[in-house]
Amino acid sequence: GVFIDARGVILTLAGPFGGVTAAVISTACATAYRLWLGGAGAPIGCMTILVATGVGVAFAHFVPLHRGAYTLRQLILLAALGSLHGFSVLFVLVFIPVPGLVGSLLPLCLLNSLGIVVLGSFLSAEGRRRHATRRLEKEAATDALTGLPNRRAFDAAGTVLVQEAQVTGRSVALLMI
């Protein structure tokens, strides 16, 4: 009934990259699955799930994204904190003597840390790309001199307005000065 795996990677990254809602959903799914598996280690397994998610949500709250991403230094910090949930497995030893459990903690922590840094780096790269895309879209629709919406933004807004008017049957008017 004692399972050691790398699900802590996903649970730890859910908060910083998906937000509180993603963290709650992933925690609920992982907890439900762990309870369904059962065994003597189920309560402690659920506790480690909560710890991993709590670390991720706390990290997201206290460490802000920079341009849609985390730096490598921030990801290493998250990896160090995120791998701590593995040590909560030691509570199993209070209730169940599991041979080899202590020896598996170092590889588990290293695996979780590596997973958090690698997957976090991919997610950060995607965050940087999305941030740059949003910035470029805003620049493309804004006049550089005045900061006002330009013709491109007018065309997009006008198209949406005309489509909504056609669907609802309302009239549309344009006043140009």
Side-chain angles (χ1 to χ4, degrees):
V2 177
F3 300 96
I4 296 179
D5 56 24
R7 83 176 62 123
V9 172
I10 301 300
L11 294 167
T12 302
L13 292 174
F17 289 100
V20 175
T21 304
V24 169
I25 291 169
S26 62
T27 300
C29 291
T31 303
Y33 180 65
R34 184 62 190 96
L35 290 172
W36 178 78
L37 288 175
I44 293 170
C46 292
M47 182 183 75
T48 62
I49 290 168
L50 292 174
V51 169
T53 305
V55 165
V57 170
F59 184 85
H61 180 72
F62 291 110
V63 180
L65 286 168
H66 178 68
R67 294 184 181 174
Y70 290 107
T71 64
L72 181 59
R73 174 184 266 162
Q74 290 170 324
L75 289 173
I76 291 170
L77 174 63
L78 178 60
L81 296 172
S83 65
L84 293 178
H85 84 281
F87 288 99
S88 59
V89 173
L90 290 175
F91 287 112
V92 168
L93 296 176
V94 174
F95 305 104
I96 312 161
V98 180
L101 182 63
V102 175
S104 64
L105 284 181
L106 182 61
L108 173 68
C109 290
L110 290 175
L111 178 67
N112 279 333
S113 295
L114 182 65
I116 289 169
V117 171
V118 170
L119 188 55
S121 295
F122 285 127
L123 293 170
S124 286
E126 178 61 20
R128 278 190 289 279
R129 187 198 59 75
R130 284 186 322 178
H131 178 77
T133 300
R134 279 193 301 268
R135 191 184 84 244
L136 290 172
E137 287 172 349
K138 182 180 177 201
E139 287 177 9
T142 306
D143 180 70
L145 184 61
T146 63
L148 297 172
N150 63 14
R151 182 186 57 81
R152 190 175 285 120
F154 171 77
D155 289 343
T159 301
V160 170
L161 185 64
V162 169
Q163 288 174 347
E164 287 177 1
Q166 288 173 340
V167 169
T168 61
R170 287 192 266 163
S171 300
V172 176
L174 171 66
L175 173 65
M176 294 183 74
I177 299 174

